[in-house]
Amino acid sequence: MSVKAFELVPAVERDLLMGDKARINIECIECCGKHLYVGTNDCFIHHFLLDEVASPMGKLSYSAQKLLNKYLGLKKPVAELRAASALERLIVLCDGMVFLVDMVTLESVPSAAGGGVKIRGVIAFCVNENPVNGDPFCVEMAILSSKRRTVQIYMVHKDRVQLVKEVSTPEQPCALSLDGYFLCLALTTQYMILNYNTGASQDLFPYNSEERRPIVKRISREEFLLAAPGGLGMFANAEGVSQRAPVSWSESVIAAAVSFPYVVALDENFITIHSMLDQQLKQTLSFRDGHILQDFEGKVILASTKAVYVLVPLPLERQIQDLLASHRVEEALMLMEGAQRNIPKDKFQVLHRRILQRAGFIQFGKLQFQEAKDHFRKGELDVRELISLYPLLLPASSSFTRFHPPLHEFADLNHLAQGDQEKVLQCKRFLISYLKEVRSTEVVNGCREDVDTALLKLYAEQDHDSLLDLLASENACVLADSVPCLEKYHKYFALGLLYHYNGQDSAALQVWTRVVNGDLQDSTRSDLFDYIVDFLCCCSNLDLVWKYADWALQKDSTFSFLQRRSSEESFSIGLKEKSFCLLFFSPRLVLSLLSDSSADAEPLTKARERLQAFLRESNLYRVQFLLGKIEDCEQLLLERATLHGKLEEHDKALHILVHKLRDFPSAEAFCVWASSGRDPAYRQRLFHLLLEEYLGGEPRVGGGGELEMAAVDVLNRHGEVFDAVRVLRVLPESWSLQLLRPFLNRAIRASMHARHTSQIAVGLAHSENVQLLHDRLKERKKPIFVSEKKGCHLCHNTFKEPDVVCLPGGVPVHTHCVAQRIKDSPTKRHLTNSSNHT
């Protein structure tokens, strides 16, 4: 598919080059920066200065100024010109001779030994653009000899040339190119690669030079472009391998050049431009009588027999935008990525992101959502660009404005869908999935409110299961926009969650109770009443809990014990106790279910589990008061044990668990729970209490073996907690070592670990002590300055002699003053003698 990649711009018009001399033809050209050199068939070299001129619209043109022309005096066409700018020389091929001329004066350069610098019998030559010689003031050149089948390598200096290598070829070469040590040659019947340093060669493919003109063009480091049979442009590297697919051009191509990522080819009537990325023909330009095409440092120059032109590449961004405008997304991305090496890194990153974003919207418009998502993610799209397509999804408080120039052609989603509701639905589903993916990434930095609010609106409209997950977790939904939306779609339970997340528990409970009362309709949760009760149990706002207690009691007679009455359990106690009464529905419910012989076992089990968890975790109840209420209930022994633990009556708790309940796992769990957050010694004391209950208690008749096995189990499971020596003293002598092997292993490992830890601590303390001593010695070495102007800190008289004593802190005093101080004081002080001189 075509794309406009280049424009053909005149550089040197016919009149400027040759005036009215009709028989003068262009034979060769060379460009070095702004300097253009043209060789003609009348043995002249013309020197022009080319200036680029940009119009206000950005269109490029060229202004040529003729500086000089010079007749070489050989009466033959100038066949080839190559600039050696470091030497300020032009290398000229004319009448089978290679010689040097000055780039400024165009005068022939005499050799250092006298006479001109000339190499005779030359068919063609080329300059090594990847030289192996490290001398910047020396140019490497390869020439083809007309007298023998050889290639000669010369070093070109400012005033001389030096032959350094000559290699033979199997056939007479007719065209060549050089890169490093590698020669790419067109022989009479084939192409070949030849390493002139090692002599190694590699045949490429056959070619008949008599049928058509061969093309050998260096395009990059150790890579060449060749004209192959069948109208193909073949690529070959120095190893003789083609790493690019060939381009298909005309059978009559006479010249080729590369302006990455394009291959430009010239035939008798046209210029064809192919992409090196996908090998497709991108552009064709009419150009009659063309016979020269060369690229100079990225500038592609053509010549007919009478005039010179520049093939100006259109800005890469414009080419890509044209491709995107034609919805040729893959071509645009391929061109962008293929041209990366020619664009500064910072500019490429910005341009690449923008192209990916535009490509994403094109795919989005085609409902190709996976491709769109990939482009959006890689292009780091501001997600609000996408959200803004959906009417009313962005919060009213959002400050977002769309990128300019626009990334897409859509006004909004309705414009894109053209009334097709199925398309609208697909687009909304895509946005949900995309926002879910990116909301936890850096893409949403700075716009989390916009993203979460949009998600909430989509979830509510689509009745999506993830709405509750969004509101039950950390979110940034804007309250002012979210509340009307949730009310519109009757998502009142979700609305309560939103209020709760924003610290408005009163509003949440008000909405939820209206749903339970039937004032509002929302079927999200059939157990909403139970949820409210659980919510009140966890609520830290005691006034709010008290406010909704009566409502909860009226809704479920199971909680009738909380109805307002003037008993000492309700209103004669303080605020925390009121909270306890509200949160203490679990024990009352348990007692109620225990007294009901017809009650199912499952509700009782769940109620006891809730009560036990509450007793362990809450500190908002009076333990003694509650213990008195269940003291006589033999069915709540586990709960009694927990309450004894709260009072740190651990012996009583363990006695209940071990001897009354025979619940040994719960006994171990009690020790772990009761010692949670305490030091290791506290936990050790509890486990020793448990061991004593197992070994020294009053077992049931026939139950001694069961207690002993429980003792073995607790030792083997928690061996690292116990004091091993103390345990061994109390164990029955009849127990075997094999029985206690796990315990002993754990105890020994724990002892060794403690020992190693202590050794490390001692070592660290010793190291710290050594460091402190070192610092102290350094302090002692500091000089103390005294003078007749300074006074003693003890007697306040000035110093007459340099002998002083230094108090801690570096304060100098008289020796006799400190001697008297020590004599008078019962506590000796550490002093440092000093005899520093002023």
Side-chain angles (χ1 to χ4, degrees):
M1 299 177 71
S2 64
V3 61
K4 188 174 182 180
F6 294 90
E7 288 183 339
L8 192 60
V9 177
V12 180
E13 300 285 0
R14 172 175 176 164
D15 291 344
L16 183 60
L17 178 65
M18 59 194 67
D20 57 356
K21 299 178 181 178
R23 295 184 179 181
I24 296 177
N25 293 327
I26 298 173
E27 293 293 331
C28 59
I29 56 175
E30 169 67 343
C31 186
C32 183
K34 291 185 177 182
H35 297 272
L36 176 68
Y37 299 90
V38 178
T40 56
N41 61 343
D42 59 351
C43 205
F44 270 84
I45 298 178
H46 302 263
H47 182 191
F48 297 92
L49 187 65
L50 284 183
D51 283 317
E52 295 182 352
V53 180
S55 71
M57 300 299 292
K59 192 171 182 178
L60 200 64
S61 62
Y62 285 89
S63 171
Q65 176 187 356
K66 192 167 187 176
L67 300 180
L68 185 66
N69 62 339
K70 179 69 176 178
Y71 178 58
L72 299 181
L74 296 176
K75 300 181 181 180
K76 295 286 185 178
V78 179
E80 196 70 57
L81 292 173
R82 285 291 177 268
S85 56
L87 309 178
E88 297 183 348
R89 297 292 182 259
L90 278 179
I91 305 173
V92 182
L93 173 59
C94 181
D95 195 19
M97 288 189 300
V98 168
F99 53 94
L100 305 180
V101 301
D102 188 280
M103 289 184 69
V104 178
T105 65
L106 301 183
E107 296 288 343
S108 293
V109 177
S111 69
V117 180
K118 293 183 174 64
I119 305 172
R120 301 181 184 277
V122 179
I123 298 174
F125 76 93
C126 68
V127 171
N128 193 347
E129 297 179 42
N130 179 27
V132 295
N133 187 313
D135 186 353
F137 299 103
C138 175
V139 173
E140 299 175 25
M141 176 179 68
I143 70 167
L144 300 181
S145 173
S146 61
K147 298 179 180 179
R148 49 181 180 255
R149 293 180 299 184
T150 61
V151 180
Q152 296 175 327
I153 307 299
Y154 282 87
M155 295 298 170
V156 180
H157 300 272
K158 198 164 186 176
D159 56 358
R160 61 191 174 89
V161 293
Q162 178 185 0
L163 177 64
V164 294
K165 192 79 172 181
E166 184 171 19
V167 290
S168 299
T169 58
E171 299 176 0
Q172 176 64 47
C174 54
L176 81 166
S177 188
L178 177 61
D179 182 273
Y181 287 115
F182 296 97
L183 286 159
C184 186
L185 303 172
L187 306 180
T188 307
T189 61
Q190 66 176 356
Y191 289 103
M192 70 178 296
I193 297 287
L194 175 63
N195 185 321
Y196 76 76
N197 185 48
T198 64
S201 64
Q202 174 67 51
D203 294 341
L204 298 178
F205 47 84
Y207 188 80
N208 191 341
S209 60
E210 295 181 358
E211 292 183 0
R212 59 182 58 87
R213 180 177 176 181
I215 295 174
V216 182
K217 178 69 178 178
R218 176 192 181 273
I219 63 171
S220 65
R221 186 181 180 87
E222 297 185 0
E223 187 175 14
F224 305 93
L225 173 63
L226 313 171
L232 294 178
M234 295 288 292
F235 299 93
N237 63 17
E239 297 176 354
V241 177
S242 179
Q243 295 180 323
R244 305 178 195 267
V247 295
S248 179
W249 55 30
S250 165
E251 289 275 3
S252 57
V253 167
I254 57 177
V258 169
S259 177
F260 196 85
Y262 297 108
V263 174
V264 182
L266 175 67
D267 61 23
E268 296 175 352
N269 297 305
F270 297 99
I271 303 167
T272 56
I273 299 160
H274 291 76
S275 171
M276 296 173 66
L277 305 175
D278 61 8
Q279 294 74 50
Q280 299 298 308
L281 177 63
K282 300 299 181 182
Q283 187 179 4
T284 302
L285 297 168
S286 177
F287 189 68
R288 296 188 180 278
D289 299 326
H291 73 120
I292 298 173
L293 168 63
Q294 289 182 254
D295 56 277
F296 304 96
E297 299 174 349
K299 185 182 294 182
V300 180
I301 299 181
L302 303 94
S304 65
T305 57
K306 305 298 183 184
V308 180
Y309 302 82
V310 178
L311 199 59
V312 178
L314 270 65
L316 183 66
E317 185 172 4
R318 178 177 166 185
Q319 296 181 45
I320 295 171
Q321 299 295 0
D322 290 345
L323 288 170
L324 290 175
S326 303
H327 290 191
R328 290 153 63 184
V329 173
E330 295 306 320
E331 286 186 73
L333 292 175
M334 187 183 298
L335 177 58
M336 180 76 243
E337 292 165 5
Q340 178 177 357
R341 68 180 189 180
N342 295 337
I343 305 174
K345 183 178 179 180
D346 293 343
K347 183 178 180 181
F348 173 80
Q349 290 176 344
V350 172
L351 184 57
H352 192 216
R353 283 196 296 268
R354 177 166 165 74
I355 298 308
L356 284 168
Q357 292 167 8
R358 284 209 59 194
F361 278 109
I362 290 171
Q363 304 288 36
F364 177 74
K366 297 178 180 179
L367 306 187
Q368 295 174 352
F369 297 124
Q370 183 59 48
E371 294 83 354
K373 180 176 71 173
D374 292 343
H375 294 328
F376 289 153
R377 292 292 295 269
K378 292 177 184 176
E380 300 176 9
L381 176 73
D382 183 335
V383 70
R384 294 173 295 181
E385 285 282 355
L386 184 58
I387 298 174
S388 68
L389 281 176
Y390 298 72
L392 304 178
L393 277 195
L394 283 173
S397 58
S398 176
S399 60
F400 172 74
T401 55
R402 288 183 180 176
F403 189 84
H404 185 80
L407 296 174
H408 53 78
E409 57 192 18
F410 312 116
D412 56 24
L413 187 60
N414 296 322
H415 176 209
L416 184 153
Q418 295 293 308
D420 188 335
Q421 292 306 307
E422 179 59 29
K423 281 187 178 181
V424 172
L425 184 58
Q426 290 182 45
C427 290
K428 288 182 177 179
R429 289 173 180 165
F430 164 70
L431 183 60
I432 287 175
S433 69
Y434 183 66
L435 294 182
K436 284 177 68 176
E437 285 187 25
V438 303
R439 72 181 294 261
S440 59
T441 67
E442 295 181 356
V443 172
V444 299
N445 285 353
C447 60
R448 183 72 182 273
E449 289 185 352
D450 296 349
V451 171
D452 283 3
T453 305
L455 259 180
L456 178 141
K457 293 178 179 180
L458 287 168
Y459 284 157
E461 179 188 346
Q462 300 295 315
D463 195 22
H464 202 282
D465 294 339
S466 298
L467 175 61
L468 301 185
D469 295 334
L470 173 67
L471 294 173
S473 59
E474 182 182 355
N475 67 82
C477 299
V478 177
L479 202 64
D481 280 75
S482 303
V483 170
C485 176
L486 295 174
E487 290 177 341
K488 176 182 177 180
Y489 294 106
H490 307 292
K491 301 296 179 184
Y492 297 109
F493 177 69
L495 178 57
L497 292 178
L498 178 65
Y499 280 133
H500 170 60
Y501 185 80
N502 284 274
Q504 300 183 22
D505 287 352
S506 178
L509 286 167
Q510 184 178 9
V511 171
W512 289 336
T513 54
R514 290 185 66 193
V515 174
V516 174
N517 292 338
D519 300 333
L520 300 173
Q521 301 302 314
D522 181 4
S523 59
T524 301
R525 291 194 67 137
S526 58
D527 62 341
L528 183 56
F529 176 76
D530 293 335
Y531 181 88
I532 294 174
V533 172
D534 290 340
F535 183 85
L536 290 171
C537 290
C538 300
C539 183
S540 59
N541 186 337
L542 301 181
D543 291 334
L544 192 60
V545 174
W546 193 247
K547 176 180 177 181
Y548 283 94
D550 286 341
W551 174 86
L553 294 172
Q554 293 167 9
K555 285 295 175 182
D556 192 336
S557 59
T558 303
F559 304 112
S560 58
F561 73 97
L562 285 177
Q563 292 179 356
R564 292 181 178 272
R565 59 180 187 264
S566 59
S567 68
E568 71 281 5
E569 297 177 17
S570 298
F571 293 93
S572 61
I573 53 180
L575 183 59
K576 286 190 176 181
E577 286 72 14
K578 289 180 182 179
S579 174
F580 159 71
C581 287
L582 293 172
L583 298 173
F584 193 49
F585 66 86
S586 292
R588 289 293 190 172
L589 177 56
V590 170
L591 292 173
S592 175
L593 291 172
L594 285 172
S595 64
D596 185 0
S597 58
S598 62
D600 293 336
E602 185 178 354
L604 175 60
T605 301
K606 290 184 177 180
R608 287 196 67 186
E609 289 174 353
R610 179 180 294 177
L611 172 60
Q612 291 160 11
F614 169 70
L615 293 177
R616 287 193 301 269
E617 297 167 7
S618 177
N619 293 317
L620 296 178
Y621 61 86
R622 290 189 304 169
V623 180
Q624 292 282 14
F625 173 79
L626 187 54
L627 188 58
K629 292 298 180 181
I630 64 172
E631 189 71 38
D632 299 328
C633 183
E634 292 296 319
Q635 295 161 301
L636 296 178
L637 289 174
L638 186 58
E639 288 76 6
R640 283 170 54 190
T642 303
L643 292 171
H644 281 301
K646 281 281 189 176
L647 295 173
E648 298 204 10
E649 297 172 348
H650 301 309
D651 53 343
K652 294 181 180 180
L654 292 172
H655 183 82
I656 292 172
L657 294 169
V658 172
H659 297 294
K660 292 188 177 182
L661 287 176
R662 285 300 215 239
D663 189 346
F664 307 134
S666 292
E668 291 183 27
F670 173 85
C671 291
V672 174
W673 163 73
S675 61
S676 176
R678 310 294 288 268
D679 57 45
Y682 191 90
R683 175 167 291 194
Q684 186 183 83
R685 185 168 69 84
L686 286 184
F687 273 94
H688 275 282
L689 281 175
L690 177 58
L691 183 63
E692 290 171 7
E693 290 293 334
Y694 286 150
L695 298 179
E698 298 179 358
R700 295 179 180 176
V701 177
E706 183 183 11
L707 290 176
E708 286 188 356
M709 289 309 300
V712 172
D713 289 342
V714 74
L715 285 171
N716 288 338
R717 276 195 293 268
H718 301 280
E720 71 281 357
V721 177
F722 289 93
D723 180 342
V725 175
R726 182 178 169 188
V727 169
L728 292 174
R729 287 173 180 168
V730 300
L731 290 181
E733 293 183 1
S734 59
W735 286 17
S736 67
L737 289 177
Q738 186 64 28
L739 188 66
L740 294 171
R741 184 177 179 181
F743 161 68
L744 293 173
N745 287 339
R746 285 173 176 258
I748 290 171
R749 281 198 298 267
S751 176
M752 292 181 68
H753 175 72
R755 179 186 176 190
H756 294 159
T757 303
S758 299
Q759 289 174 340
I760 292 171
V762 169
L764 291 173
H766 177 71
S767 175
E768 183 180 8
N769 186 44
V770 169
Q771 182 63 44
L772 290 173
L773 288 173
H774 176 263
D775 294 343
R776 183 181 177 188
L777 288 173
K778 286 175 63 178
E779 289 295 327
R780 285 182 172 181
K781 290 181 179 179
K782 291 181 178 178
I784 304 299
F785 295 96
V786 296
S787 69
E788 294 180 351
K789 296 181 180 180
K790 284 191 175 183
C792 172
H793 186 71
L794 296 179
C795 68
H796 306 295
N797 293 324
T798 58
F799 292 104
K800 302 298 184 181
E801 299 292 337
D803 293 333
V804 297
V805 173
C806 184
L807 294 176
V811 179
V813 297
H814 288 119
T815 53
H816 60 271
C817 290
V818 77
Q820 185 64 37
R821 177 81 172 265
I822 293 174
K823 181 178 178 181
D824 296 341
S825 173
T827 304
K828 292 185 177 181
R829 301 177 182 273
H830 296 288
L831 301 171
T832 304
N833 286 322
S834 172
S835 52
N836 300 300
H837 294 276
T838 308

